[in-house]
Amino acid sequence: MDYENFFRAELDGLHREGRYRVFADLERHAGHFPRATYHGAKGPRDVTVWCSNDYLGMGQHPDVLAAMHGALDGCGAGAGGTRNIAGTNHHHVLLERELADLHGKESALLFNSGYMSNWASLSTLASRLPGCVVLTDALNHASMIEGIRHSRAEKHVFAHNDPEDLRRKLKTIDPGRPKLIAFESVYSMDGDIAPIAAFCDIADEFGAMTYIDEVHAVGLYGPRGGGVSEREGLSHRLTVIEGTLAKGFGIMGGYIAASAATCDFIRSFASGFIFSTSLPPALAAGALASIRHLKRSQTERQGQQDRVAAVRARLDIVGIPHLPNPSHIVPVMVGDAVLCKRISDELLERFDIYVQPINYPTVPRGTERLRITPSPMHSDADIDHLIGALTAIWGQVGLKRAA
Ligand SMILES: *Cc1c(COP(=O)(O)O)cnc(C)c1O
């Protein structure tokens, strides 16, 4: 086989469909978010980032940077091993305690990313509980899907955010078998939120475990940033709460929070936890500082909600269609991969605005979009500039405007 030719032909297919991924070469500047230097074909220039998942700008927070510098200089660069073999640093232990407290759970367990926490936890639970059946929301994240697939457990996909469909599926399953219901709180592409209480009620009725991915909610929702489950007073009803340290908290790493026995079980059996070098202590120290700050401060959460409302209101005035939802995510709908990429290119080239196009397979074909994530650091002038640019491009490419 001509391997090189095969790879090139596959990539050509992506180009033709307009969904070949081009990474924007960015240099973020601490203290100046959402500004970054874009290193493009025509040399470096300043752009405004409108699609970051560092939702609250905690990646540049002075407390976070100070904690990271302190741990870097104090403990050195790397962790030095897996958690079991020389790689458990005191900063990991403190961070796990903080995360357990954040979610009102007995324990927490750190992973090197949110992806790994989902993959390892779901695959371990579903493969090791004898005869386990997994009920999984149709729009769950790739990391959950891959973890469930790897477990080889029996799987039922229920309609997105649909408690009645979940109930229908549960009724068909032998009541004696262990059951695991997996879903997210905030879905990151449409920005809709799961009916968590209804799912918990059904889980109680059928004796099922619940597993919630709060990746797009931790730091952002709840009085202490404990996610939608905290805001709705439901943390104690969820068996496992999973989150990331990379988005709202601004750094890197993933975790679960659950009972002591659940965390200890996953700690003891999950390959993706056991056999990987633990996070550098500086990352753990930075995450700890970020979580502690967001437990007390409402400033960032309020600032974000204010900016989100402002962007939505301005889009409505100029008639640019966006999906209504109860979260901080503003999906501006384009509905065509090539056009979506072209709009994104024009925003960058002509207006120094960076919003990455979101195409298949991240979203279904025909629902291609620009996913805008306003942060507390976006100014009124930034919003004016964004709306002006979108309005100009919308007219030029002949996309429909709402009434
Ligand atoms: C980003 C994401 C993850 C993975 O988290 P990382 O820390 O970035 O690996 C998990 N779940 C959802 C829903 C996500 O969007």
Side-chain angles (χ1 to χ4, degrees):
M1 183 175 185
D2 185 341
Y3 301 110
E4 290 294 314
N5 240 346
F6 173 81
F7 297 144
R8 271 192 295 268
E10 290 292 300
L11 292 168
D12 285 346
L14 292 181
H15 279 291
R16 268 197 308 279
E17 286 182 46
R19 59 187 189 91
Y20 178 78
R21 292 171 186 227
V22 181
F23 298 160
D25 179 352
L26 298 168
E27 194 180 339
R28 301 212 291 169
H29 299 293
H32 300 282
F33 290 5
R35 233 64 68 196
T37 301
Y38 169 62
H39 294 273
K42 295 177 218 146
R45 62 196 162 84
D46 270 7
V47 298
T48 302
V49 179
W50 273 103
C51 57
S52 177
N53 279 343
D54 184 355
Y55 290 125
L56 303 175
M58 292 308 288
Q60 66 174 0
H61 195 282
D63 291 0
V64 171
L65 300 189
M68 292 186 75
H69 282 294
L72 181 62
D73 295 336
C75 301
T82 62
R83 287 294 294 274
N84 189 43
I85 305 177
T88 295
N89 191 281
H90 190 50
H91 293 287
H92 298 128
V93 177
L94 294 178
L95 177 55
E96 284 177 336
R97 276 188 209 144
E98 192 72 26
L99 287 164
D101 175 78
L102 177 67
H103 294 292
K105 297 290 184 194
E106 289 171 349
S107 279
L109 191 65
L110 275 173
F111 295 82
N112 291 345
S113 69
Y115 189 102
M116 191 47 80
S117 60
N118 274 334
W119 192 89
S121 303
L122 285 167
S123 65
T124 302
L125 290 171
S127 66
R128 298 230 168 219
L129 286 162
C132 184
V133 183
V134 183
L135 294 111
T136 176
D137 186 285
L139 293 191
N140 275 345
H141 189 256
S143 55
M144 303 170 84
I145 295 169
E146 291 297 334
I148 294 163
R149 178 186 308 185
H150 183 71
S151 78
R152 299 188 181 179
E154 183 180 320
K155 175 184 82 174
H156 298 259
V157 179
F158 62 90
H160 174 57
N161 278 352
D162 185 343
E164 279 320 305
D165 194 47
L166 172 62
R167 182 194 300 277
R168 266 194 299 279
K169 299 252 153 47
L170 277 163
K171 277 190 178 154
T172 67
I173 298 165
D174 173 358
R177 293 177 72 176
K179 291 166 283 285
L180 177 59
I181 305 170
F183 55 98
E184 303 180 21
S185 60
V186 177
Y187 283 83
S188 73
M189 290 301 148
D190 288 352
D192 54 340
I193 295 180
I196 304 173
F199 285 163
C200 289
D201 291 344
I202 293 173
D204 290 349
E205 188 184 328
F206 288 89
M209 292 176 71
T210 48
Y211 183 107
I212 190 170
D213 173 318
E214 287 251 44
V215 160
H216 292 277
V218 290
L220 312 183
Y221 298 92
R224 302 191 311 157
V228 180
S229 55
E230 187 202 21
R231 182 184 76 183
E232 298 182 358
L234 297 168
S235 307
H236 63 289
R237 298 192 62 195
L238 293 151
T239 317
V240 177
I241 299 176
E242 183 272 345
T244 184
L245 305 170
K247 294 173 185 174
F249 294 127
I251 310 172
M252 186 186 182
Y255 66 91
I256 56 162
S259 72
T262 305
C263 288
D264 202 12
F265 181 79
I266 292 168
R267 184 186 76 94
S268 304
F269 290 105
S271 171
F273 174 84
I274 297 170
F275 296 106
S276 188
T277 300
S278 54
L279 288 173
L283 298 196
L288 183 65
S290 182
I291 294 163
R292 283 187 176 159
H293 176 81
L294 289 174
K295 270 183 174 170
R296 293 187 311 266
S297 169
Q298 306 302 327
T299 313
E300 292 78 12
R301 283 188 280 278
Q302 277 162 6
Q304 184 201 32
Q305 295 297 333
D306 174 76
R307 300 287 80 189
V308 169
V311 169
R312 284 210 175 103
R314 295 290 302 278
L315 287 171
D316 287 340
I317 289 170
V318 296
I320 290 183
H322 58 104
L323 266 191
N325 66 51
S327 76
H328 59 282
I329 292 157
V330 184
V332 167
M333 305 308 281
V334 178
D336 178 273
V338 173
L339 196 53
C340 198
K341 170 87 171 83
R342 179 167 154 217
I343 294 173
S344 167
D345 287 345
E346 299 238 339
L347 283 171
L348 190 58
E349 293 311 322
R350 284 172 51 205
F351 297 95
D352 299 326
I353 289 170
Y354 171 52
V355 192
Q356 185 71 13
I358 307 282
N359 289 339
Y360 177 83
T362 308
V363 295
R365 292 182 210 269
T367 72
E368 290 80 4
R369 66 198 66 187
L370 301 170
R371 177 182 178 273
I372 296 175
T373 54
S375 77
M377 296 87 55
H378 287 98
S379 67
D380 287 336
D382 291 334
I383 297 178
D384 286 344
H385 185 58
L386 173 71
I387 299 295
L390 283 172
T391 310
I393 294 172
W394 234 249
Q396 182 197 323
V397 302
L399 268 169
K400 270 213 239 26
R401 307 248 292 253

